[in-house]
Amino acid sequence: MFKEMAKDWDPLAIDFAAIRTLRLVSELGSFSKAAEVLGTNQSTISYTMDRLRAAFHDKLFVRQRGGIAPTPRCVEIVECASRLLEGFEGLMQPTDFDPARASGRVTIACNYYERSMILPRTIAEIRRLAPRLVLEIKAARAKGIAYLKRGEADLLLGPYDVQEDSLYHRNLLDDHYVCVMHRGHPLAGRRLRVDDYVKASHAVVTYGGTWRSGYLRELDERGLSLNRVVTVPSISDLTHILPGTDLISTVPSRIASNIAKSVIATSCPFPEPFQIGMTWTSRTHHSAAHRWLRQLMVRIAGALPYKAALAAPSGRTRGGANSRA
């Protein structure tokens, strides 16, 4: 069990580093994992937690199977203190920005789609306009929001439905699903009926996590299931699998041409339009450098070509935003 709470500690003596540690322990449910992320040892984390318990007169965490869980009071503290921490981090950002002279590092969390569609042109422009700026790209998978909140990423790109008031979000582009298959496939060039689509042999992209594509959710709602022959973690795997086989796969239309030259795309019975957006926190919201980068991505995404022949049903729109960059 946890130690007894130490003697009273002046709450005003608590610094932002301690609050950041508390937030990280709460999110990871582990002292040792938090120590690993912060590059310190577990005893340092324990000492910080003892100080915070004394200041807030609460155990903060209770043991449970497989780790620890925050107390209700701890959840309240983390929620409030995180807003203060992010606001303070935002104040520390420079108010002006000259791309040609700028240096530093920006971490972007995203997945294969964004790395294929948005980042190539973004990186080319950054190399041209801000050559001293260093970009770190990390796989988001299902951890993108957590990376943002822990400060392990500055920007998240992807088809995320962001509902939290503490996060900023802007849509970058619209897309929908199409079917891809080898040019010699019996279904190539035909308008797929639902029966043909469901019965065909499918290579299904799982995206290596818990993400479930919109077309699969639509099939579930209709009580239908695909004839899954192969599952792969990434769209990039289809490049080596589809050519010369009887398999078809369902992928975003903008990326269909990246699969392979010998693959043809056709409309899908379940196009399920979706949006790709970018998400960030108040920590970088007022930063001139990050604002410049976000605006650059908005311009690049808006200029991406789109093949009207594969467009989704009428009513879709290009681009959009529910927050200013």
Side-chain angles (χ1 to χ4, degrees):
M1 230 351 126
F2 292 113
K3 302 174 185 176
E4 290 292 326
M5 286 187 286
K7 62 181 180 180
D8 286 355
W9 194 288
D10 181 7
L12 297 181
I14 299 300
D15 54 28
F16 282 117
I19 295 299
R20 182 182 61 177
T21 301
L22 176 66
R23 180 176 64 180
L24 193 59
V25 171
S26 178
E27 290 174 349
L28 297 179
S30 167
F31 283 18
S32 60
K33 290 180 181 178
E36 183 178 349
V37 170
L38 294 174
T40 186
N41 54 55
Q42 190 168 335
S43 61
T44 299
I45 302 295
S46 297
Y47 172 70
T48 300
M49 292 304 103
D50 284 343
R51 291 171 52 204
L52 292 171
R53 290 189 192 104
F56 292 109
H57 301 282
D58 190 85
K59 290 183 177 181
L60 299 181
F61 298 97
V62 294
R63 293 194 184 279
Q64 64 176 15
R65 179 176 296 181
I68 58 176
T71 64
R73 175 64 172 153
C74 181
V75 172
E76 180 184 3
I77 293 168
V78 168
E79 182 178 349
C80 180
S82 291
R83 292 195 295 268
L84 294 174
L85 179 59
E86 290 180 354
F88 180 76
E89 289 173 332
L91 291 174
M92 299 298 292
Q93 300 292 336
T95 57
D96 56 355
F97 178 69
D98 179 2
R101 301 176 58 186
S103 62
R105 178 183 298 269
V106 176
T107 301
I108 300 175
C110 59
N111 292 307
Y112 178 79
Y113 184 106
E114 299 78 34
R115 293 198 299 269
S116 300
M117 297 301 301
I118 300 173
L119 287 190
R121 297 189 186 195
T122 300
I123 291 172
E125 282 296 279
I126 288 175
R127 296 303 305 148
R128 184 175 68 87
L129 300 173
R132 297 172 60 189
L133 192 65
V134 176
L135 284 185
E136 178 183 355
I137 312 300
K138 64 192 305 179
R141 297 191 178 91
K143 300 178 181 179
I145 297 295
Y147 287 153
L148 279 181
K149 291 182 175 180
R150 295 201 298 260
E152 295 178 42
D154 302 304
L155 190 64
L156 171 65
L157 304 179
Y160 300 96
D161 183 18
V162 179
Q163 302 291 339
E164 299 184 40
D165 293 338
S166 62
L167 298 175
Y168 296 88
H169 182 80
R170 177 163 183 164
N171 295 329
L172 291 175
L173 53 83
D174 298 307
D175 207 340
H176 65 279
Y177 292 97
V178 298
C179 295
V180 288
M181 64 198 77
H182 188 263
R183 291 183 180 275
H185 195 286
L187 296 176
R190 292 173 49 183
R191 184 175 183 85
L192 295 182
R193 298 176 303 178
V194 173
D195 284 350
D196 293 332
Y197 176 70
V198 171
K199 292 177 181 177
S201 298
H202 285 260
V204 176
V205 181
T206 64
Y207 299 97
T210 58
W211 171 259
R212 192 164 177 78
S213 300
Y215 75 94
L216 290 176
R217 296 195 298 270
E218 178 63 19
L219 284 165
D220 289 343
E221 291 180 9
R222 298 194 183 198
L224 300 173
S225 59
L226 298 180
N227 175 27
R228 298 190 183 203
V229 175
V230 178
T231 59
V232 294
S234 173
I235 294 175
S236 63
D237 297 313
L238 299 176
T239 301
H240 312 288
I241 293 173
L242 292 181
T245 72
D246 65 339
L247 298 172
I248 74 171
S249 191
T250 307
V251 301
S253 68
R254 290 178 181 268
I255 212 166
S257 60
N258 293 7
I259 305 300
K261 292 182 178 179
S262 61
V263 169
I264 188 172
T266 187
S267 59
C268 177
F270 304 98
E272 297 310 303
F274 63 90
Q275 294 177 321
I276 297 293
M278 59 181 176
T279 307
W280 64 98
T281 70
S282 58
R283 180 173 58 86
T284 59
H285 182 64
H286 297 289
S287 163
H290 286 273
R291 187 183 307 116
W292 175 84
L293 176 59
R294 294 193 297 266
Q295 291 171 346
L296 174 66
M297 287 191 168
V298 169
R299 291 196 302 271
I300 288 173
L304 288 175
Y306 195 81
K307 294 183 179 180
L310 297 178
S314 60
R316 63 180 297 278
T317 57
R318 283 200 67 196
N322 50 27
S323 175
R324 298 187 63 182

